[in-house]
Amino acid sequence: PCAPEKLAADPSLKTCDLSGERVLGAPDWIINPGVRVEHELRQGLKAYGIANYSWRSEFNIAADDSMFADVDGYGIANLRVGLRGGAGAAAWDFSVFANNAFAEEYVQFGIGQSHYGVYPGFSGPPRLIGATLRVNF
């Protein structure tokens, strides 16, 4: 397919050669660092913290590689802190977490084709804060 801006420049185009252009939905860079820290508070009781960050550079959500379907790069931070205790069948784990901790607003993916020059995109999940309790019994 041809992007609307190319069709506007040359309405006689039927198809466009996209050889060498960006692949649909593929950023140039993706970086996913993470860290996990544990500390034993006393025998059988551990505190822990986990931080993950996922960043991707600008990408395009359209099969025709239109400049109108470019999506800015973004980064998402996920955080978790918790306590773990017990052992074996009596183990338990309690944690609190924040996914998308800094409430980044971003386009996660798109339809992939133009609908009259409009490229619908779907936003990523908003910040989510919660807690989990896991118990083995």
Side-chain angles (χ1 to χ4, degrees), residues 33-105:
V35 64
R36 178 185 180 101
V37 177
E38 284 192 19
H39 180 71
E40 188 162 0
L41 300 174
R42 61 185 173 102
Q43 183 67 28
L45 183 63
K46 289 184 180 179
Y48 64 91
I50 302 169
N52 295 307
Y53 188 74
S54 177
W55 179 83
R56 61 176 41 217
S57 63
E58 176 184 272
F59 61 100
N60 191 285
I61 61 171
D64 59 18
D65 199 36
S66 172
M67 66 182 185
F68 300 115
D70 285 343
V71 173
D72 292 336
Y74 62 86
I76 304 298
N78 298 320
L79 307 171
R80 180 179 296 268
V81 294
L83 289 172
R84 177 177 299 128
W92 59 271
D93 185 321
F94 175 76
S95 64
V96 294
F97 65 87
N99 293 340
N100 191 4
F102 304 116
E104 179 76 21
E105 293 181 5

